Amino acid sequence: MSWITALNQVYDNSLNQVEAKDKMLLPISYSTQKVQIEVYLNENGDFIRAARLADNKQMTAMPVTEDSAARSNGIVPGVLCDKLIYLAGDFDQYFHPKKRGKDYFDAFLSNMHDWIEKGNAPEDIKVIYRYLLKGNLTTDLKKAEAFEKEEDMVRFVVEYPNESVTIGSWEKPEVIESFENYYVSKLENSDICYATGEDTQIATKAPFKIRNPADKAKIISANSDERYFGRFIKASDAAQIGYITSQKVHNALRWLIGKQGYKNGSECIVCFSVKGNAIPPVIDDDKDIFFDEDDTVETGENYAKRVNKAIAGYLGTRKLDEQDQIVVMAVDTASGADQGRLAITFFTEMVDSEFYDNITKWYNNCSWCLKYKIDNKVIWKTGTPNPKSIIEAAYGIQNDMDKEILQVNDKLLKKEIDRILPCIVQNKQFPKSLMETAVHNLENPLRFSTSMFKDLLSRTCALIKICHVEEGRGETDMALNKDNNDRSYLFGRLLAILEKMELDTYSDQDKMGKRRPNAIRYWAAYSKKPAKTFQLIRENLVYYIAQLDYGKQVYYQKLVDEIMMQLKNIDGFTNIPLNENYILGYYCQNADFYKKSTNDEEE
């Protein structure tokens, strides 16, 4: 299935879904534009009142022709809503005669008259036409104190006696249907649509405003026959698409991006079901899509159950549909600008079951106990880091220690999100180099505040976990594994013990301040020459150990002796650099300390 076929089906399956006007699935031959003035008329075409619209009510879905939707210069009139110069017969009386306002006005009236004569236009269009013929719109707007700029756009509302609900002329079903039938019948360029194979009216200009209302980039464009020289006689030989199909495809893509698209810089990523079924978002910058604030049991097994439960919630009462296609696609321009050609930078399709299987694997295999901020309260919950937080773990720089913000180059962020996307939706192998970069970023903990370092540590553990799972090394447990004899894991445990021994001597003021223990300050050296650096840190802790009560001294010494024995048994107490497992050992030993101290407080 091509992207055109998929979006064409989405349009047909979702046409009855109506949302906020700036996110609605547009009808055929409709586009969106911000309108500043709303004019009310009575059934006789007399002016009643006018009002300026608030910013949040300006976005208007209006009927357009191919030319008016793509106009830039010249006299290219719309058919219902337009700029004042097209609608006001008295424009030249108030503004610059050199603009030839009458030519714009006459062109607009000609369009509207043709619709009325040939398209069986509804009564609203006839009423508005009768009013515009009077040629005093500008005068009426000035009297109503609704005028501000000559570039203002205007829309109309016709009020009828005994009408219980008054809606704008541009959004009435009979107006929408009438204009579509009228305009399509006017199109003369009939040929084979390359998308559907039908003999139908061919689109001569493709719509824009795909990623946002200001987007001028087109996903289908052929404005010069010369670029096809030597291959085709004319541009239409390379590709041509039916007008109705073009409208459906572009409107569906625009609607999906506005409703559920993810903005990766200038790139837009959207995931959708061709049949219009609700599906979980594949990327979310806030928190993972299976986050549950009320879930108090923090284990990987419980998180897996939560993922499965959430998947079942999206499926509802329906079963997995092998006939439904899930499509993930991304669009962007080469330069990232709102001009030029819009390319499809990513496209994949899969059946229902494959999609849910892939995202279930991702969220289970890349899960860890992560930091979340809910209502200004920090909580730690099992979850999966979103792509942006993964890239921050690998490349993030904290420029201000007082702010929990990581800076990443925008181009790098966009590039790396594109690398992670296939891992989520296609079950592609996670790039190990990204995990190794995150491990390397942690080797300089003094560049981060204490809380940020802990946050990055957890994210990195999640990346180590998914890499280990994909390499067939089994599940990585968040709980401390005292039977793990991996050399790096053991050295990581030792580092956590050395840190805890020193922290236990700190006052509350020290802990609240910026004082950092020796284990953190020597972190980079420890990862490269662990045996030598362990001895150095241990010597520096003599003074701190002496301050501990006898029970703690015995407890910590016993832990160190047990781990040293494990290292001796594998001849592991050397200066060979550590691999990523020392991160896991450090985290798990620290988590075990926290767990024990919490239990002691409860007892």
Side-chain angles (χ1 to χ4, degrees):
M1 181 183 296
S2 70
W3 64 277
I4 292 179
T5 304
L7 289 169
N8 193 38
Q9 291 184 23
V10 167
Y11 188 92
D12 290 336
N13 293 328
S14 307
L15 189 58
N16 294 327
Q17 298 187 41
V18 180
E19 302 181 22
K21 297 301 181 290
D22 58 340
K23 292 183 180 179
M24 70 178 293
L25 182 55
L26 291 174
I28 304 300
S29 304
Y30 262 59
S31 184
T32 55
Q33 181 75 39
K34 282 193 171 184
V35 175
Q36 293 75 35
I37 301 174
E38 189 168 82
V39 173
Y40 288 79
L41 307 175
N42 64 22
E43 61 180 332
N44 298 317
D46 299 322
F47 180 87
I48 301 175
R49 62 187 182 280
R52 296 198 65 82
L53 297 168
D55 289 343
N56 62 347
K57 294 183 178 181
Q58 290 184 1
M59 192 61 69
T60 306
M62 63 182 70
V64 293
T65 65
E66 282 190 296
D67 291 332
S68 68
R71 76 184 179 197
S72 54
N73 296 314
I75 301 177
V76 187
V79 289
L80 179 58
C81 310
D82 218 319
K83 290 184 177 181
L84 190 60
I85 193 172
Y86 285 100
L87 302 176
D90 56 352
F91 184 88
D92 289 340
Q93 298 177 26
Y94 292 90
F95 306 111
H96 312 290
K98 290 183 179 180
K99 285 192 174 182
R100 306 191 322 276
K102 188 177 185 306
D103 294 343
Y104 288 82
F105 179 66
D106 290 343
F108 184 89
L109 285 183
S110 176
N111 268 4
M112 185 169 273
H113 181 266
D114 192 61
W115 180 8
I116 292 171
E117 289 295 312
K118 300 177 182 179
N120 191 25
E123 185 63 24
D124 272 39
I125 307 305
K126 298 174 183 177
V127 170
I128 295 169
Y129 180 72
R130 286 199 295 271
Y131 169 71
L132 292 179
L133 282 175
K134 299 175 182 178
N136 54 7
L137 176 59
T138 308
T139 302
D140 290 338
L141 292 180
K142 284 183 172 292
K143 289 180 179 178
E145 298 182 349
F147 172 82
E148 279 189 9
K149 302 176 182 177
E150 60 182 270
E151 294 296 318
D152 283 342
M153 294 280 293
V154 180
R155 68 190 191 193
F156 296 92
V157 178
V158 180
E159 294 183 337
Y160 297 95
N162 304 320
E163 189 176 47
S164 58
V165 178
T166 300
I167 63 174
S169 298
W170 63 92
E171 55 188 344
K172 288 186 175 180
E174 60 269 26
V175 171
I176 295 172
E177 182 180 2
S178 171
F179 184 73
E180 177 185 340
N181 295 334
Y182 156 71
Y183 187 66
V184 172
S185 68
K186 274 177 59 70
L187 298 175
E188 299 176 353
N189 185 21
S190 181
D191 208 332
I192 299 296
C193 171
Y194 286 13
T196 63
E198 298 176 349
D199 189 347
T200 184
Q201 291 90 345
I202 298 300
T204 57
K205 295 180 180 179
F208 45 84
K209 299 182 181 179
I210 304 297
R211 295 170 294 175
N212 56 70
D215 189 12
K216 298 294 184 182
K218 293 184 177 182
I219 200 167
I220 299 176
S221 179
N223 58 0
S224 173
D225 292 341
E226 294 178 359
R227 65 185 69 217
Y228 300 96
F229 181 74
R231 298 183 183 182
F232 307 101
I233 297 176
K234 55 184 184 298
S236 60
D237 293 337
Q240 60 185 14
I241 184 172
Y243 175 76
I244 296 294
T245 302
S246 174
Q247 288 287 307
K248 288 181 177 180
V249 166
H250 287 87
N251 288 349
L253 182 56
R254 183 187 295 120
W255 174 67
L256 288 167
I257 288 175
K259 185 169 77 84
Q260 61 201 51
Y262 174 81
K263 302 296 177 66
N264 178 26
S266 60
E267 182 181 52
C268 288
I269 303 170
V270 65
C271 177
F272 58 90
S273 156
V274 170
K275 287 191 174 182
N277 292 319
I279 60 174
V282 295
I283 303 180
D284 191 333
D285 270 349
D286 183 18
K287 49 184 175 287
D288 85 64
I289 59 178
F290 305 118
F291 178 84
D292 185 355
E293 185 179 352
D294 297 327
D295 193 0
T296 57
V297 183
E298 287 308 313
T299 65
E301 180 182 358
N302 189 68
Y303 180 70
K305 291 179 180 178
R306 193 159 77 225
V307 171
N308 293 332
K309 181 180 178 181
I311 291 292
Y314 276 102
L315 291 174
T317 57
R318 73 180 182 89
K319 296 180 179 180
L320 288 170
D321 186 354
E322 296 298 329
Q323 301 302 315
D324 190 13
Q325 291 290 109
I326 306 298
V327 174
V328 184
M329 67 181 295
V331 293
D332 195 11
T333 50
S335 63
D338 286 341
Q339 303 282 343
R341 302 296 177 262
L342 199 59
I344 298 176
T345 55
F346 181 86
F347 181 85
T348 187
E349 56 181 333
M350 65 207 79
V351 296
D352 217 8
S353 57
E354 183 183 0
F355 169 74
Y356 282 107
D357 185 51
N358 288 346
I359 64 170
T360 299
K361 286 179 180 177
W362 166 261
Y363 280 95
N364 282 329
N365 294 342
C366 194
S367 61
W368 205 262
C369 188
L370 303 174
K371 176 182 174 183
Y372 295 97
K373 197 169 184 179
I374 308 296
D375 297 329
N376 294 320
K377 178 184 177 183
V378 173
I379 59 175
W380 290 84
K381 305 282 292 183
T382 305
T384 301
N386 59 58
K388 183 179 179 182
S389 66
I390 289 174
I391 297 159
E392 288 175 345
Y395 300 103
I397 299 172
Q398 188 177 11
N399 292 323
D400 189 340
M401 291 293 184
D402 295 325
K403 295 180 179 179
E404 299 290 295
I405 298 175
L406 292 170
Q407 303 293 332
V408 180
N409 179 273
D410 290 339
K411 291 184 178 180
L412 178 62
L413 182 65
K414 181 195 292 189
K415 175 184 174 182
E416 294 298 329
I417 285 180
D418 287 341
R419 288 180 70 196
I420 295 174
L421 183 59
C423 304
I424 302 175
V425 299
Q426 293 177 300
N427 196 29
K428 298 290 186 181
Q429 188 166 4
F430 185 82
K432 188 174 181 180
S433 60
L434 195 57
M435 176 272 286
E436 292 170 340
T437 304
V439 171
H440 179 70
N441 203 26
L442 278 179
E443 290 178 358
N444 297 286
L446 294 179
R447 293 167 35 190
F448 307 102
S449 64
T450 300
S451 61
M452 180 58 74
F453 178 74
K454 291 179 180 178
D455 189 359
L456 294 180
L457 177 70
S458 295
R459 301 185 206 178
T460 304
C461 286
L463 305 188
I464 296 172
K465 176 183 175 182
I466 192 171
C467 287
H468 284 188
V469 171
E470 293 179 346
E471 290 174 359
R473 295 163 65 176
E475 185 79 14
T476 302
D477 201 334
M478 289 185 286
L480 177 63
N481 182 5
K482 293 184 178 181
D483 296 326
N484 189 331
N485 287 319
D486 179 88
R487 172 178 173 272
S488 295
Y489 187 89
L490 293 172
F491 265 113
R493 289 185 61 192
L494 284 176
L495 186 63
I497 294 168
L498 295 176
E499 181 186 45
K500 189 67 164 60
M501 291 168 67
E502 182 174 344
L503 287 175
D504 280 356
T505 67
Y506 281 13
S507 65
D508 291 339
Q509 185 175 359
D510 288 335
K511 293 178 181 178
M512 294 295 292
K514 297 181 179 180
R515 186 177 177 184
R516 310 297 285 274
N518 282 274
I520 295 296
R521 293 191 288 112
Y522 285 99
W523 187 289
Y526 188 88
S527 65
K528 293 177 176 61
K529 295 183 177 181
K532 178 180 178 181
T533 311
F534 171 80
Q535 299 289 9
L536 176 62
I537 297 175
R538 187 70 182 271
E539 292 172 5
N540 290 344
L541 292 185
V542 172
Y543 168 76
Y544 297 99
I545 295 173
Q547 296 182 56
L548 296 172
D549 59 59
Y550 180 72
K552 283 189 174 182
Q553 290 186 33
V554 172
Y555 170 67
Y556 289 130
Q557 187 59 52
K558 182 181 178 182
L559 282 178
V560 171
D561 290 343
E562 289 175 353
I563 297 172
M564 292 295 284
M565 181 58 67
Q566 289 175 278
L567 285 169
K568 181 180 179 181
N569 291 338
I570 60 173
D571 295 325
F573 194 73
T574 66
N575 281 317
I576 297 174
L578 304 175
N579 64 29
E580 71 275 3
N581 285 341
Y582 86 94
I583 299 289
L584 298 176
Y586 171 84
Y587 174 91
C588 292
Q589 184 64 65
N590 250 328
D592 190 66
F593 284 142
Y594 175 78
K595 179 181 177 182
K596 288 182 182 298
S597 63
T598 302
N599 291 339
D600 292 342
E601 290 174 5
E602 290 176 353
E603 291 175 3

